């Protein structure tokens, strides 16, 4: 049991589809993150939510839309994606104010855009 | 801004041997945390070990230990008695103690363990 659960584990979608990725944590953390991990590239921070408010959006295209309805859940809504958006999307959570704790990650959603 | 560098994209080690993964970082802060994460083929990033910058003693966790050289801004990971299950991507990460500062990850080192 990781503490951070991501669904689905795999997703194949066409460029005109709309889908959502889900992340759930029951660790009592107050911050959640979306990362993109592409082959041969460093981890890319996409979105940060702290206390359910979005505090950072690293110039992510608008075809990615995050939603954080409460401190335990985080979604990433996808629409009209491009093939280059194919990647592993990782969710993480942490306790802001406790830098020593580190991040707890989920197992990721492997997204393929066709 | 802080940066983290891992100069070894790939490494290999014989089973039961010892291997050291390198990590250097750049920061102007004096207090921070450093981490090593492991990402096996199952994809989940798992915390291996952490080091507090204000502690001179190197952290150890069973077969994993670090060599923390604060002045040199170096944070290497030593894996002793390597096992097949140690094969994974290893990421070095920096975290400021300032509130709201996110992790800074290195590009990763892929470790293969040879039987």
């Amino acid at each position: 049991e990781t503490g951070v659960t991501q669904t689905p584990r795999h997703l194949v979608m066409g460029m005109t589809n709309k889908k959502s990725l889900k992340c759930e944590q029951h660790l009592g953390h107050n911050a959640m993150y979306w990362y993109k991990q592409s082959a041969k590239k460093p981890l890319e921070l996409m979105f940060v939510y702290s206390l359910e408010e979005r505090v950072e959006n690293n110039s992510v295209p608008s075809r990615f839309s995050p939603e954080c309805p409460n401190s335990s859940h985080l979604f990433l809504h996808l629409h009209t994606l491009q093939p280059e958006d194919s990647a592993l999307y990782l969710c993480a959570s942490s306790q802001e104010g406790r830098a020593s704790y580190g991040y707890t990650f989920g197992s990721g959603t492997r997204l393929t855009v066709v | 801004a802080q940066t983290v560098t891992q100069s070894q994209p790939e490494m290999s080690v014989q089973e039961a041997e010892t291997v050291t993964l390198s990590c250097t970082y750049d920061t102007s802060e004096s207090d921070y945390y450093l981490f090593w994460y492991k990402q096996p083929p199952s994809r989940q990033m798992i915390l291996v070990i952490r080091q507090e910058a204000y502690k001179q003693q190197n952290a150890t966790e069973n077969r994993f230990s670090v060599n923390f050289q604060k002045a040199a801004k170096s944070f290497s990971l030593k894996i002793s008695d390597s096992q097949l299950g140690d094969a994974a991507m290893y990421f070095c990460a920096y975290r400021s103690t300032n509130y709201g500062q996110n992790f800074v990850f290195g590009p990763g080192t892929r470790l293969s363990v040879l039987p």
Side-chain angles (χ1 to χ4, degrees):
Chain A
E1 179 55 50
T2 70
V4 177
T5 303
Q6 288 188 245
T7 55
R9 189 161 172 82
H10 301 274
L11 178 62
V12 178
M13 60 185 289
M15 289 190 283
T16 59
N17 291 158
K18 289 185 180 181
K19 296 287 184 183
S20 295
L21 309 185
K22 180 181 177 182
C23 177
E24 189 172 353
Q25 61 95 4
H26 296 289
L27 300 168
H29 289 170
N30 58 12
M32 297 184 78
Y33 312 81
W34 280 117
Y35 279 87
K36 177 182 179 182
Q37 187 177 28
S38 305
K40 309 291 185 183
K41 289 186 178 180
L43 280 164
E44 299 175 47
L45 177 62
M46 300 177 72
F47 299 104
V48 179
Y49 276 84
S50 179
L51 300 173
E52 301 164 41
E53 285 191 22
R54 190 162 76 189
V55 296
E56 188 158 343
N57 171 0
N58 285 313
S59 303
V60 178
S62 59
R63 56 186 183 269
F64 295 92
S65 175
E67 179 190 2
C68 187
N70 55 60
S71 61
S72 298
H73 294 85
L74 183 65
F75 295 90
L76 187 62
H77 304 300
L78 316 171
H79 64 98
T80 59
L81 294 191
Q82 304 298 311
E84 61 264 28
D85 298 322
S86 299
L88 180 67
Y89 289 85
L90 292 167
C91 175
S93 70
S94 74
Q95 186 65 19
E96 275 301 315
R98 299 288 185 96
S100 64
Y101 281 20
Y103 288 5
T104 302
F105 284 87
S107 297
T109 294
R110 173 74 64 190
L111 173 67
T112 303
V113 181
V114 297
Chain B
Q2 297 87 12
T3 59
V4 176
T5 302
Q6 293 176 252
S7 59
Q8 306 150 317
E10 296 184 355
M11 289 197 72
S12 62
V13 62
Q14 209 72 32
E15 196 175 4
E17 297 294 310
T18 296
V19 65
T20 298
L21 308 184
S22 301
C23 172
T24 58
Y25 58 94
D26 188 28
T27 183
S28 59
E29 299 177 334
S30 59
D31 196 15
Y32 46 86
Y33 290 88
L34 296 165
F35 302 81
W36 278 98
Y37 278 87
K38 169 186 177 181
Q39 187 180 35
S42 65
R43 304 175 337 200
Q44 190 200 350
M45 300 264 278
I46 302 165
L47 178 63
V48 175
I49 198 165
R50 82 186 87 204
Q51 175 78 41
E52 300 168 80
Y54 63 87
K55 285 190 175 180
Q56 292 187 338
Q57 186 175 6
N58 289 324
T60 63
E61 287 287 342
N62 300 313
R63 297 183 295 107
F64 298 87
S65 62
V66 299
N67 183 3
F68 174 50
Q69 301 290 327
K70 190 172 184 179
K73 296 180 183 175
S74 171
F75 182 60
S76 60
L77 175 69
K78 185 171 84 171
I79 306 174
S80 304
D81 185 25
S82 297
Q83 301 175 0
L84 295 176
D86 295 333
M89 280 289 286
Y90 286 82
F91 293 92
C92 179
Y94 171 103
R95 191 173 195 187
S96 169
T97 56
N98 292 326
Y99 189 92
Q101 294 297 307
N102 302 316
F103 264 43
V104 179
F105 286 94
T109 296
R110 182 171 300 282
L111 177 67
S112 301
V113 180
L114 308 174

